[in-house]
Amino acid sequence: MSNVVPIRRAPKVAEPEKVSAMVVAGSGGASTTTTTFGLATALRLGTGKDVTAVDSTSDGGNLLDRSRFRAVNASRSIDVFGSHMAETSSGMLVVGRSPVSQGQDPALVDMLLQSRDTARVYDVGTALRSPRLSPLIESGAALVVVAPARTEPLSRMREAMKWLMATYGAATLEDTIVVISHQMPRSPVNLAPIKAALTPQIAGFVEVPFDPALARPGVIDHRELAASTLDAWTDALDVLGSLKAPATAESSDQKGQMA
């Protein structure tokens, strides 16, 4: 395989190293893992900045297995994650489920990664309602809600978004991105009315086209992906870049001193 990859356009994110996003779904098999991989990869390719994707699922997902391309370079390794780290084909870092990531508040893990000036994308899977994720949501991490283009998962996505509004307020949807993953060459669902209904309420609506490279089992190599797939993930990053920046620990301290 050729190692020559066309230069991707840079996503419209002013400060890529400050990105913090959670990829969630209302049902299993919704492509949270590939979307997490995709957003982190597109950000890495488009900006050249350090990006880390983290498995934050409740039962241990397969993010590391799907994206582990080589052992992490010692200079980029984080001791507390030990052997649960790897580099992907694009050079971004990935953290699988480990005693640290499983036992600690994800917001603390986020602070650790933030201190290393790396963007963070979390694969939450279906664990959206888990209390341990509340601090991360409240810290300002962007929400990326994912569903495949199928009727039942789309209905479950709707229920998840209702829960978000009931728990965190209707304004939460204004900072939420919806990503629809096409897992089949032809969509069995007409997405036009769904897009029309959601667009006024959310930050952005993005469709990721069917890509055979994502449908195959095994490690994902970004060089095998279609350009349209990377473009769609970059479109989602553009929306993410338009959102207000999450509060940092430093700014929170300053607010406390001013109060």
Side-chain angles (χ1 to χ4, degrees), residues 2 9 11-12 14 22 30 33 42 65 75 83 85 126 154 170 185 189 194 203 218 220 224 257:
S2 172
R9 73 171 177 86
K12 299 172 184 176
M22 297 169 53
T33 296
D65 292 337
S75 65
S83 61
M85 290 188 71
T126 59
L154 286 168
V189 178
I194 298 174
I220 305 172
E224 297 178 345
Q257 292 171 4

Side-chain angles (χ1 to χ4, degrees), residues 223-248:
R223 294 167 296 181
E224 297 178 345
L225 298 172
S228 58
T229 303
L230 288 166
D231 288 342
W233 287 327
T234 303
D235 289 341
L237 289 173
D238 288 345
V239 178
L240 194 153
S242 71
L243 304 179
K244 61 181 181 293
T248 63

Side-chain angles (χ1 to χ4, degrees), residues 16-37:
E17 66 279 0
K18 294 185 178 180
V19 166
S20 177
M22 297 169 53
V23 182
V24 304
S27 62
S31 299
T32 59
T33 296
T34 53
T35 301
T36 299
F37 171 89

Side-chain angles (χ1 to χ4, degrees), residues 12-70:
K12 299 172 184 176
V13 180
E15 298 178 289
E17 66 279 0
K18 294 185 178 180
V19 166
S20 177
M22 297 169 53
V23 182
V24 304
S27 62
S31 299
T32 59
T33 296
T34 53
T35 301
T36 299
F37 171 89
L39 294 178
T41 298
L43 190 62
R44 169 72 177 179
L45 294 176
T47 67
K49 299 290 186 179
D50 284 338
V51 183
T52 302
V54 183
D55 187 341
S56 295
T57 56
S58 58
D59 56 354
N62 64 345
L63 178 64
L64 188 62
D65 292 337
R66 286 286 274 153
S67 55
R68 184 200 298 267
F69 194 75
R70 52 181 165 256

Side-chain angles (χ1 to χ4, degrees), residues 18 111 114 120 139 245-255:
K18 294 185 178 180
M111 290 178 63
Q114 181 184 345
R120 293 87 64 201
S139 73
T248 63
E250 180 180 351
S251 63
S252 296
D253 290 343
Q254 290 174 346
K255 288 180 180 178

